[in-house]
Amino acid sequence: MLDHTVARWVRAHGGSAALAELAGWASLADGHGDSALPLRGEAAGRHGMPPLEDDAMEQVMADPMVTVVTTGSTQAAPAVAATPFVVDSGYFYLLRNHLHEGVVARHANTRRAGAGTEPEGSSADIDVLFHGDGSGRVAAQRAAVAQVPGKRLFVLTGGPGTGKTTTVLRMLMLLLKRRAGSGAAPAVVRIGAPTGKAAQRLSESLRDGARLMRDGQTRLPEDWHPWLDASLNAPASTLHRLLGSRGHGGGFVHHAGNPVPADIVIVDEASMVDLAMLRHLLEALREDAALILVGDADQLTSVGTGSVLLDLVGAMEAAADPGLVRLSHSFRADQSLLPLNEAVRLGDIDAFERAVIDAGDQVRRVQIGAPHELDAALATWARSLADGLRAAGAFSPLPRGADGAPDQVAVLGALDGLRERQLLCALREGEFGAEAANRHLESSVRAASSGGALSLTRGEWYAGRAVMITRNDYTAGLFNGDVGICLEDADGALGVWFAVTVAASAASAASAGSAASAGSAASAGSAIDDDAAAPATERSRRAVCFVPGSLPDHQGGFAITIHKSQGSEYREVAVLLPPDPDNRILSRQLLYTGISRARQKVQLWASDAVLRRAISTPARRSSGLRARLDASQWS
């Protein structure tokens, strides 16, 4: 194990036995997402580490391989770099995490303290953007749009359905209009997200919001349409692509010496951003650039180290920082799940029980504590899944369009059918994990696809199979988290289809390449970035096709982990939790993230004891970042 390797490395380089043990524990904590290991107080002894005796503590702090910092400074002091470990304000750090925290805090606090004196958005502009609606339901949205001018760091947080995307769209329109009014050059806007799926979903949501503002009930006056179009001209990409990842070589093209060429950078699904990535992003931005972080601070934190959005929101709320706005009003037509989500978010078990009862058929609890109970639940779910795919046309040969290629409407209908319901699992491996559940569902759906007769002539591929990409492939235009469906064309050939947002100029290429080679489809798929500057009225949702054997790394998509589901929504979800109430993965953030993916219906596959443990257990990551972001550090 890496932890033991770290401990052996310390001993091999002259470190004490006490330091070697502590370094091993710090490595273990880092693997669990902690950026630091607490040495004092209630949090000490984290992950099972035995408490340090006073003499051992003194020995560690006196070790030449440790630098002791007593100031809690946000500066990444050059002297610290001389040792591989740091003790700072009662926390034990691996050097890289201490440097990450220091740089993130310094940049964030500088941006917070350096907010310009630019006046807030005028009430007249705000009224236009909100069509004169001054009611309480949009009060927080109006505040966000009014307060964003002049901010170099702005955080917008809120749960699903609270209007984060439409608020971002209005914020962008106001910023672009004001900049044009000042006589400055048009602002360069870039949009990023931790995953390609999240970036694509944001593009789709912005486009849908723009359509309503152009032609729908929330139609804007025509003199605002140029700013509406300009708001959608920003290319959306993964953060790695935004920074210019050098791939396996490490590092990024954009850094402090070569900043990202952008005036405004928006990051969606910011709860998924880890400590190291936020450091790289902050270092790569120009000092005068505005950074807008958008996300749900109550969701699961990143799979990497740290809980940066949660720490930022906590510090900014404590300081009443005007650079933070939390949205709470939900605009979803179906309100039945909102009390359930809120009860879990707050860890209120009694409110959860009431919400389940009040939701009626919208929430179903399935008691699962043994393998045979899980098998029964999976069998029932598989039947509903297969019925939905059959109704969406996923099992039938695709009709031809006017151009002779598979009909786009039919393909997109099948993809939409796939998003109707999703099984979300807390675990990836094991009897109660996503991999085992997906195998069960694959077998049932395959049988339904072939009319009950399992055919092995095509190997693992069959009409209706769902897959999720697990590795970014920029050449193909497919990204980690993208979900596609295997469909059969009129000639009997199988292809795997994915929905992308492309410009009209690329739409014909997407259609033409749909039944051709993976290379032509990849070219169409890459239009997500390359053609994102097309006017909003010319952008559309298209489907592109890949030969099954040409796909980058992928896995079955009928059952995925809750972590993988972030940034997605489905009409109905089933959330499968492990049967052991003492499983360390259980937390209210985990459960909240899972159930909040549902728009209309939720099934909870867990015992009462497991649900209670999840709701009552907040997920906490050990870090010194929140203290570094405290108002006393920057005010």
Side-chain angles (χ1 to χ4, degrees), residues 57-74:
M57 176 75 76
E58 292 176 4
Q59 184 180 5
V60 165
M61 296 179 70
D63 196 293
M65 299 180 74
V66 176
T67 295
V68 178
V69 179
T70 58
T71 61
S73 170
T74 62

Side-chain angles (χ1 to χ4, degrees), residues 48 284 472 563:
N472 293 341
H563 267 102

Side-chain angles (χ1 to χ4, degrees), residues 407-421:
D407 182 63
Q408 281 280 317
V409 174
V411 175
L412 292 173
L415 283 163
D416 288 340
L418 185 62
R419 293 171 60 174
E420 281 288 288
R421 52 183 55 80

Side-chain angles (χ1 to χ4, degrees), residues 1-9 24:
M1 291 176 60
L2 178 61
D3 315 327
H4 295 293
T5 301
V6 170
R8 288 195 297 268
W9 181 91

